[in-house]
Amino acid sequence: MTVNTAARQATAVARRPRSLTETRIRPLDIFLRCISVLAGAVTLFLVAGLIVYILAKGLPGVTWKFLTTEESALNRTYGILPNIINTAYIIVITLLVAAPLGVGGAIYLNEYAKRGRLTKVIEFTTEALAGIPSIIYGLFGMMVFNNTFGFGYSIISGCLTLAIMVLPTIIRTTQEALRTVPTGYREGAAGLGASKWHTIRTILIPCCKGGIITSLILSIGRIVGESAALIFTAGIAANLPSNWLTHAGTSGATFAVQLYQYADQGRNDVSFAIAAVLILVVLAINLLARLCGGRKKA
């Protein structure tokens, strides 16, 4: 009897499915792992190769004079100081318009709006806006802001167009940040008699400020790298501002727009120098976003 019992137990153990840690390695698993590692290595190689190539070609042309002067046809010198100023103008004005709308819209959708068909339509529309090509935004901005409202080719027209472009990024990222705040915080505040707005202002926004800052930094990255929409709205002029208060009403080319112009004219040395500066700026922006995201998780 004892022998039969032992035999049945041994058979049951043999038929018992292996645990995850004891699962035997199959050839297909090895093949798929190799494919995944190869794909990751190729992607890393392409990105690193692109960055190294642009920096190697462009950094020798990046000098202090190049960064602090403007282009002079008489002296045959090149400078991007006007482009730096125009880019700073466009970043600041765009965020002043888009940040309140984006953060406010995310708060409304996540905290006030009832989950229904209308809310789903708004969220779907927001996601659809993120996939529209930038040149279509440029055509829209030219017809509406340049022609209809009479702003002409100006920095303000470009800023209003870019504000519409970055709204989906700010709204969706802020919504995801708000959803990470535990529901217990809201319930505890409501139990203490706090109003909805007081709870949002004193609890929710401080808890998810890292996500909001990340959304703004990512928006800055898109603003800095945008060219198609700005060519149709902000124009291609690269002059130093004569009046700092009214400069937003004049035409102004950013980094990306000036890079496009030089590349179109065949000035590859200057194009690579601007591209190197643009790459460094974008890398710094992405690193800052990662740092803010890490602080939020911590």
Side-chain angles (χ1 to χ4, degrees):
M1 190 71 177
T2 306
V3 176
N4 294 336
T5 303
R8 285 196 297 269
Q9 291 179 351
T11 303
V13 170
R15 292 178 178 177
R16 185 182 305 166
R18 296 173 179 266
S19 66
L20 293 176
T21 58
E22 297 175 350
T23 302
R24 63 185 179 89
I25 300 177
R26 297 175 297 178
L28 181 60
D29 295 335
I30 298 176
F31 175 74
L32 292 177
R33 180 177 295 181
C34 292
I35 291 296
S36 301
V37 172
L38 180 62
V42 170
T43 303
L44 180 62
F45 175 78
L46 290 176
V47 174
L50 176 65
I51 294 175
V52 170
Y53 179 78
I54 292 177
L55 293 181
K57 294 276 288 185
L59 282 182
V62 179
T63 61
W64 179 250
K65 184 177 181 181
F66 180 73
L67 297 174
T68 56
T69 59
E70 61 178 325
E71 179 182 5
S72 175
L74 295 177
N75 300 327
R76 295 184 179 180
T77 58
Y78 302 101
I80 59 171
L81 180 59
N83 307 118
I84 296 175
I85 295 174
N86 293 335
T87 303
Y89 263 92
I90 287 180
I91 290 174
V92 172
I93 298 176
T94 300
L95 291 184
L96 286 177
V97 176
L101 293 176
V103 175
I107 292 174
Y108 171 78
L109 291 173
N110 203 72
E111 303 298 328
Y112 288 98
K114 295 182 180 179
R115 302 303 301 175
R117 183 174 299 177
L118 179 60
T119 304
K120 292 181 179 179
V121 169
I122 295 174
E123 291 180 346
F124 174 78
T125 305
T126 303
E127 294 176 355
L129 283 174
I132 296 177
S134 59
I135 193 169
I136 295 180
Y137 282 105
L139 290 173
F140 172 81
M142 181 180 67
M143 296 302 298
V144 175
F145 302 122
N146 291 31
N147 299 336
T148 304
F149 291 122
F151 294 143
Y153 286 98
S154 61
I155 291 176
I156 191 64
S157 296
C159 292
L160 294 175
T161 304
L162 291 181
I164 300 175
M165 287 183 60
V166 301
L167 268 179
T169 301
I170 298 176
I171 291 175
R172 298 302 293 168
T173 308
T174 304
Q175 272 190 285
E176 294 301 323
L178 287 170
R179 289 169 183 168
T180 62
V181 181
T183 307
Y185 289 8
R186 299 173 176 84
E187 295 174 349
L192 293 174
S195 63
K196 173 74 77 173
W197 172 242
H198 185 78
T199 302
I200 293 171
R201 181 172 56 85
T202 60
I203 298 177
L204 299 186
I205 292 180
C207 287
C208 66
K209 63 181 180 181
I212 297 175
I213 294 174
T214 300
S215 69
L216 298 180
I217 294 173
L218 293 175
S219 300
I220 293 174
R222 184 168 187 184
I223 294 169
V224 170
E226 185 54 50
S227 60
L230 292 176
I231 291 175
F232 285 97
T233 55
I236 59 174
N239 299 318
L240 288 173
S242 57
N243 189 322
W244 291 89
L245 295 178
T246 61
H247 185 62
T250 62
S251 176
T254 60
F255 281 128
V257 174
Q258 193 66 39
L259 171 61
Y260 169 78
Q261 291 187 79
Y262 282 138
D264 187 55
Q265 297 169 7
R267 303 177 186 177
N268 294 330
D269 52 343
V270 188
S271 300
F272 274 107
I274 298 177
V277 176
L278 192 57
I279 284 287
L280 293 176
V281 171
V282 172
L283 288 177
I285 290 172
N286 282 277
L287 179 61
L288 188 58
R290 291 291 298 272
L291 291 176
C292 292
R295 289 182 180 180
K296 179 186 69 172
K297 293 179 181 178

